[in-house]
Amino acid sequence: MAALEPAGSFKPALLVVDLQEDFCPPEGSLAVPGGREIAPLINTLLSLPFSLKIATKDFHPQDHISFETSHAPPNNRPFESSVNISNPSETSQSHEIPIWPVHCVQGTKGADIIPEIDVAKVDTIMEKGKDRRVEMFSGFADVFGNKSSQATNLDLADRLNSAGITHVFVVGIAGDCCVKCTALDAKKEGFQVCVLEEATRSVDTGEKGWGAAKEEMEKAGIKMTSADGPEVERVKKLP
Ligand code: VGL
Ligand code: ZN
């Protein structure tokens, strides 16, 4: 659908990925260094005339398959262990996923969007990762590429397409995880995609983490840019 927009048209959306308590210091169970620092810049972006502003939330059941508590030791160490999970809709397919500390459990404070973010400026909040059986980093689909209503409250691509969105700007946390996967899927869905680098923070800021994530995104045709760059200038000029 995005491809059906007239050439040269510009209807940008802002996706604010997972700015939640559990991903932020000082108390988050999966705190990403500097996660809270990017809130002021994200609020500035939220006040710009994007056609649509969506915030995503990682929103897991308490027995989610990515949690250390869902697996037996010794192969359940967060940031070290990984497990194979099978595709709920095609059980012959499997995928290796990392093990995480318990995070963003539905109904807990850890799942809340941090109060520093001006959520009144957000049009829609989408929840992802709701199916205990499968990992979902991207707001568009799970790690197998499934779009299931069991895992989310909203089909993100549908929402963007029905608003006639052409360009997707991605910010938030974690840069090397959910931001990357969401940006890659946005590109696959046919949108032009920018990631605003200073408005993301990563679990691993090194070459293997954010460095590799940037390379993968750039290879896919995603633009790494800045809030001072020409892409955001174009948003500022919108009526
Ligand atoms: C995320 C790890 C596990 C993220 C979500 O938001 O980047 N990371 N679940
Ligand atoms: Zn998660």
Side-chain angles (χ1 to χ4, degrees):
M1 285 262 293
L4 296 179
E5 283 294 310
S9 68
F10 184 60
K11 265 201 128 185
L14 180 67
L15 297 187
V16 177
V17 175
D18 299 2
L19 251 286
Q20 291 165 273
E21 290 288 357
D22 269 342
F23 294 128
C24 289
E27 285 183 352
S29 62
L30 181 33
V32 173
R36 218 172 271 274
E37 285 169 8
I38 60 177
L41 176 56
I42 290 177
N43 286 334
T44 303
L45 293 165
L46 281 170
S47 66
L48 298 180
F50 286 96
S51 302
L52 189 61
K53 298 158 192 173
I54 298 179
T56 68
K57 282 173 78 164
D58 212 31
F59 209 58
H60 297 310
Q62 38 84 61
D63 58 350
H64 191 255
I65 199 154
S66 73
F67 293 170
E68 59 177 313
T69 47
S70 299
H71 303 276
N75 296 316
N76 67 340
R77 286 192 300 267
F79 310 107
E80 285 175 39
S81 307
S82 57
V83 294
N84 262 303
I85 63 168
S86 66
N87 185 346
S89 51
E90 175 52 77
T91 48
S92 64
Q93 277 177 18
S94 72
H95 192 96
E96 195 173 317
I97 59 156
I99 293 296
W100 306 109
V102 173
H103 63 277
C104 300
V105 173
Q106 297 166 16
T108 67
K109 177 173 181 264
D112 290 348
I113 293 184
I114 59 171
E116 289 88 342
I117 293 289
D118 190 356
V119 288
K121 296 202 170 93
V122 171
D123 298 302
T124 303
I125 293 179
M126 80 104 28
E127 300 164 353
K128 65 183 173 68
K130 293 170 60 153
D131 185 338
R132 73 157 300 277
R133 301 170 298 170
V134 70
E135 180 59 290
M136 185 170 185
F137 294 130
S138 155
F140 291 89
D142 69 26
V143 292
F144 296 100
N146 300 310
K147 295 179 182 179
S148 105
S149 55
Q150 224 176 310
T152 67
N153 65 335
L154 177 80
D155 184 322
L156 190 50
D158 261 7
R159 183 78 181 81
L160 296 170
N161 280 321
S162 45
I165 296 302
T166 57
H167 292 62
V168 173
F169 289 67
V170 191
V171 299
I173 42 186
D176 51 349
C177 191
C178 289
V179 168
K180 178 189 83 170
C181 293
T182 299
L184 288 169
D185 275 355
K187 182 71 192 173
K188 269 189 214 148
E189 294 283 351
F191 302 101
Q192 307 229 45
V193 185
C194 292
V195 173
L196 305 181
E197 195 169 356
E198 77 274 43
T200 83
R201 290 291 185 274
S202 289
V203 176
D204 173 356
T205 54
E207 273 315 298
K208 286 190 180 152
W210 182 234
K214 276 202 290 194
E215 202 176 300
E216 191 179 344
M217 288 189 278
E218 278 169 341
K219 265 197 192 127
I222 293 165
K223 205 172 268 178
M224 303 302 307
T225 184
S226 147
D228 299 323
E231 298 81 8
V232 175
E233 281 308 311
R234 199 171 170 201
V235 178
K236 289 181 187 164
K237 290 195 186 105
L238 288 170

